[in-house]
Structures are given as structure tokens and as C-alpha cells.
Amino acid sequence: MQQVIKRHSLQSDYPEKSRQPSFDELQRHALLTREIAEKTMEIRHLKGEKLENLSLEELKRLEKMIETGLERVIETKDNKFIHEIDSLKRKGVLLSEENKHLQQMAGTSGVVPIIDVEILEQGESCESITAISNPEDLDSSDTTLKLGLPFPESS
């Protein structure tokens, strides 16, 4: 469609005022105008407009085109979901490893940090860090720190 419009505009960018268009130029203009009309109608059909005048065969062909396009959209969307899930799993593994490392470091100091991340709403998280002197008694915390940090963006 863009190519047809571009060719049409190239033809009309340099009008010569002193001469009349030739028969070939008029034919080309008519051809381009017809192509634009056909492509415009095809776009309308794809949008579900102006379907009354289509034959049964044309409707079947249009339905097949739309189904094929929709399958591609669904496949692309599913692939993006799978990629996002894999990315979040990798981040979860990294956070788990970091948590183990922090627990090992805290084991030498006698204070066990417990890190809890809650997802509040889209794009927000609240991270609670509680330092416990006695790991068996989680209710008696020495220090609690809550931070409203932005949830890290997925890459």
C-alpha cells in the first residue's frame, strides 16, 4: 500500500504545467488510483467493514487470512509470555542464591537476615528485611526495615 502511494506521489510531485499528460501517464494514474482503492477496500474487509458485497468464496478466503494472522499474533504473544516467565525464573534463582549467601554471611555474625519481597501492584514491590538474633524465634525481631523499592524491570 505504501509503495503504491509512493509511486503515485512521485508521479504528482513534478507536474509540468506547460504540457498535457500523455496517454501512458493517464493510464498509469488510473492504474495507481485503482490499486489504492483495492488496497483500501482490502484493509476495510480485514477490519470487518463493507463485507455485504463479498461472495461466499471471498468471505472464506478472508476468514482464512484473518485466522492465519491471528495464529501468528497468538504465537508471538505466547513466545513473549514464555520468555518473560523464563526471565522471572532466572531472577528468582539469582535472588535465592543471594539469599543463601546472605544467610551464610549472617551465620558467622549470629544475626540472620530474612528478606521478603512482596509484589504490591504492577511495577511496585516492598522489601522487608528483618534481622533476627535468635533464628528459632522469628517473632522477636531486633530490627525491621521496610523499603518501597521499584520492582526491577525485566530485560
Side-chain angles (χ1 to χ4, degrees):
M1 180 71 154
Q2 293 292 343
Q3 291 173 343
V4 172
I5 293 171
K6 192 175 194 178
R7 288 191 317 223
H8 186 6
S9 68
L10 285 175
Q11 292 292 321
S12 60
D13 279 348
Y14 302 106
E16 296 178 12
K17 296 180 182 175
S18 62
R19 71 175 189 94
Q20 294 291 323
S22 70
F23 181 72
D24 289 339
E25 291 172 334
L26 289 174
Q27 278 185 321
R28 183 155 175 78
H29 183 270
L31 175 70
L32 292 173
T33 302
R34 188 172 52 248
E35 280 184 55
I36 289 172
E38 288 171 1
K39 295 297 180 185
T40 301
M41 189 55 71
E42 187 177 334
I43 289 172
R44 284 185 158 176
H45 291 158
L46 289 171
K47 292 163 84 178
E49 300 171 0
K50 305 275 185 180
L51 301 176
E52 305 82 33
N53 297 331
L54 295 180
S55 69
L56 186 58
E57 288 301 315
E58 290 171 322
L59 287 170
K60 285 180 181 179
R61 183 186 60 80
L62 180 62
E63 180 181 27
K64 182 69 176 166
M65 280 177 36
I66 292 171
E67 284 176 351
T68 303
L70 184 59
E71 287 171 4
R72 289 182 192 142
V73 168
I74 291 170
E75 181 181 342
T76 302
K77 180 188 72 169
D78 290 347
N79 287 338
K80 287 189 181 269
F81 276 142
I82 290 169
H83 177 71
E84 184 70 20
I85 289 168
D86 289 343
S87 175
L88 291 172
K89 283 180 181 179
R90 283 191 299 273
K91 286 180 182 179
V93 168
L94 290 173
L95 287 172
S96 179
E97 289 173 0
E98 185 177 347
N99 197 20
K100 285 179 187 176
H101 177 71
L102 288 172
Q103 286 175 349
Q104 288 173 352
M105 286 176 44
T108 60
S109 68
V111 175
V112 178
I114 297 175
I115 300 174
D116 184 26
V117 177
E118 287 178 52
I119 298 175
L120 300 174
E121 288 184 24
Q122 182 181 9
E124 297 178 359
S125 71
C126 181
E127 193 172 301
S128 294
I129 303 173
T130 305
I132 308 287
S133 300
N134 185 359
E136 288 78 30
D137 189 16
L138 293 177
D139 289 334
S140 65
S141 60
D142 295 329
T143 307
T144 300
L145 174 63
K146 287 197 176 197
L147 304 170
L149 300 174
F151 198 68
E153 294 291 325
S154 61
S155 51

